[in-house]
């Protein structure tokens, strides 16, 4: 029997609340020629038992369990274990829509000059309510330009499918780019081939108030800055160093009220009124004297 066409690489760390739904979404793919490599990065909750249950159910699932090594080492280990032509990234708290793999494989098979393809995604809150679409740029030039301006998220990492041979030639993810390993990778990939997003929503990306993007925001911005600086140097483009310095200096404190307020506004603009009202109330609960929170609540109750 030959190698599968796709290797799904999914790191897991203390994700018992969501990992079952994530696995179910992969097993429900209309494209089924894949191996499912799940790396348990030293979980201390019930994730391990859930993984064993699914491994017994589906022979395509391969579980690697060991002590905690961190995300970057875990991703590179998954790539080293993969045998497929393509690497499909997946996170343990997200939900892949059924046609994700079929559409991405078709794109890469018919566009040999592209090295990675993502998709538009739907941001959801911790309980799965819709917030708004994300990663809406589709063309190589627009995506790479956004990255070169320091704007992360133009490709949603867990929605991406990559060519394994190119990923290995580039050395995988770089340890020195902690918290920005995907941003750095997409910059490097765009230098050896084209990048794209499919215009369809093919993944539901779960937002958390305790995610790296909030709790390690300053460290992430510093790694983004370094990746951006190196990309400009590789491409022989002048780098405006003050740009990221200004972003870092003006980032400000991130607190629960501010996070829920942002989710409320994003939901409201996208027409997800129920989600907007939920997070407007949560924003206010976390800061009763916030004028901005009262404002978003008033707008959410009106529905516009």
């Amino acid at each position: 029997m030959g190698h599968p066409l796709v290797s799904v690489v999914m790191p897991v760390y203390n994700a018992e609340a969501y990992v079952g739904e994530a696995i179910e979404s992969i097993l429900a793919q209309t494209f089924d020629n894949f191996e499912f490599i799940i790396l348990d990065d030293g979980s201390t909750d019930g994730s391990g038992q859930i993984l064993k249950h699914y491994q017994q159910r589906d022979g395509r699932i391969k579980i690697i369990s060991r002590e905690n090594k961190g995300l970057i080492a875990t991703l590179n280990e998954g790539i080293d274990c993969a045998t497929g032509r393509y690497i499909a990234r997946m996170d343990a708290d997200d939900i892949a829509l059924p046609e994700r793999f079929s559409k991405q494989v078709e794109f890469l098979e018919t566009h040999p000059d592209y090295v990675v393809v993502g998709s538009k995604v739907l941001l959801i809150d911790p309980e799965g309510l819709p917030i708004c679409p994300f990663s809406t740029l589709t063309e190589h030039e627009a995506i790479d330009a956004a990255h070169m301006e320091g704007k992360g998220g133009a490709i949603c990492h867990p929605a991406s499918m990559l060519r394994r041979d190119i990923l290995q030639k580039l050395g995988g993810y770089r340890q020195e780019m902690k918290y920005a390993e995907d941003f750095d990778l997409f910059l490097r990939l765009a230098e050896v081939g084209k990048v794209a997003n499919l215009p369809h929503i093919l993944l539901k990306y779960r937002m958390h108030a305790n995610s790296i993007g909030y709790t390690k925001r300053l460290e992430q911005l510093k790694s983004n800055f370094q990746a951006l600086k190196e990309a400009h140097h590789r491409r022989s483009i002048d780098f405006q160093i003050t740009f990221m310095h200004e972003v870092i200096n003006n980032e400000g404190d991130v607190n629960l009220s501010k996070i829920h307020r942002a989710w409320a506004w994003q939901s409201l603009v996208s027409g997800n009124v129920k989600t907007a009202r939920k997070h407007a109330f949560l924003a206010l609960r976390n800061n009763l004297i916030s004028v901005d929170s009262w404002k978003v609540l008033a707008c959410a109750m009106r529905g516009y």
Side-chain angles (χ1 to χ4, degrees):
M1 187 174 178
H3 294 307
L5 190 59
V6 174
S7 295
V8 186
V9 174
M10 186 176 81
V12 175
Y13 179 69
N14 290 348
E16 64 177 353
Y18 305 111
V19 69
E21 191 173 11
I23 293 173
E24 292 280 3
S25 76
I26 296 300
L27 299 184
Q29 291 294 302
T30 58
F31 177 93
D32 61 4
N33 185 16
F34 62 82
E35 62 179 351
F36 194 178
I37 302 170
I38 305 177
L39 301 102
D40 184 3
D41 190 28
S43 295
T44 57
D45 64 357
S47 296
Q49 288 302 115
I50 296 172
L51 299 184
K52 289 177 183 177
H53 165 75
Y54 280 103
Q55 185 180 40
Q56 293 171 355
R57 175 179 144 186
D58 196 305
R60 292 172 297 180
I61 295 177
K62 303 176 182 180
I63 298 175
I64 300 171
S65 298
R66 33 77 171 154
E67 75 282 0
N68 182 266
K69 294 183 180 180
L71 178 60
I72 296 176
T74 301
L75 288 172
N76 285 331
E77 185 176 349
I79 294 167
D80 290 341
C81 295
T83 61
R85 183 185 306 168
Y86 305 122
I87 300 284
R89 276 284 292 110
M90 182 65 183
D91 279 350
D93 57 350
D94 295 333
I95 303 167
L97 272 64
E99 294 190 347
R100 176 191 164 186
F101 290 174
S102 63
K103 290 182 180 298
Q104 291 182 315
V105 167
E106 181 183 11
F107 181 89
L108 290 174
E109 291 279 275
T110 56
H111 296 81
D113 51 337
Y114 282 77
V115 292
V116 58
V117 61
S119 76
K120 184 190 294 186
V121 304
L122 177 65
L123 300 186
I124 59 176
D125 77 356
E127 290 71 46
L129 288 178
I131 297 176
C132 66
F134 189 63
S135 298
T136 56
L137 299 175
T138 58
E139 302 297 326
H140 167 84
E141 291 76 13
I143 293 170
D144 190 48
H147 285 153
M148 288 295 284
E149 292 171 4
K151 300 172 183 176
I155 295 179
C156 180
H157 191 199
S160 63
M161 184 176 285
L162 313 96
R163 296 188 187 274
R164 180 169 64 94
D165 60 340
I166 300 298
L167 196 50
Q168 290 176 321
K169 286 179 182 178
L170 290 178
Y173 298 88
R174 297 201 289 169
Q175 282 286 354
E176 60 268 33
M177 295 299 171
K178 192 174 183 180
Y179 305 131
E181 67 284 337
D182 53 340
F183 179 69
D184 169 65
L185 177 66
F186 293 139
L187 285 168
R188 290 185 289 131
L189 283 168
E191 294 163 11
V192 298
K194 291 184 177 181
V195 303
N197 280 320
L198 297 179
H200 323 283
I201 291 177
L202 298 178
L203 184 90
K204 294 181 181 181
Y205 182 87
R206 199 179 305 269
M207 303 291 285
H208 299 280
N210 61 350
S211 68
I212 293 298
Y214 294 124
T215 61
K216 301 292 184 182
R217 185 59 176 159
L218 183 58
E219 294 93 329
Q220 187 179 61
L221 284 170
K222 288 179 177 178
S223 290
N224 281 355
F225 171 71
Q226 185 61 34
L228 199 56
K229 181 179 179 180
E230 292 183 17
H232 279 75
H233 177 74
R234 289 192 302 269
R235 303 182 191 195
S236 300
I237 301 173
D238 288 338
F239 182 48
Q240 300 298 321
I241 295 178
T242 57
F243 174 77
M244 285 301 289
H245 280 183
E246 291 171 359
V247 173
I248 291 171
N249 291 335
N250 292 305
E251 181 63 18
D253 294 331
V254 177
N255 55 60
L256 274 176
S257 182
K258 185 176 181 180
I259 292 170
H260 287 297
R261 194 161 58 242
W263 293 351
W265 280 124
Q266 291 167 337
S267 301
L268 192 58
V269 169
S270 296
N272 296 312
V273 177
K274 180 181 177 181
T275 313
R277 289 173 179 169
K278 170 186 173 180
H279 290 286
F281 276 114
L282 288 172
L284 193 60
R285 189 175 75 179
N286 281 280
N287 188 350
L288 281 170
I289 62 172
S290 168
V291 174
D292 289 336
S293 294
W294 281 104
K295 180 179 178 181
V296 71
L297 178 60
C299 293
M301 295 310 294
R302 290 198 304 267
Y304 60 88

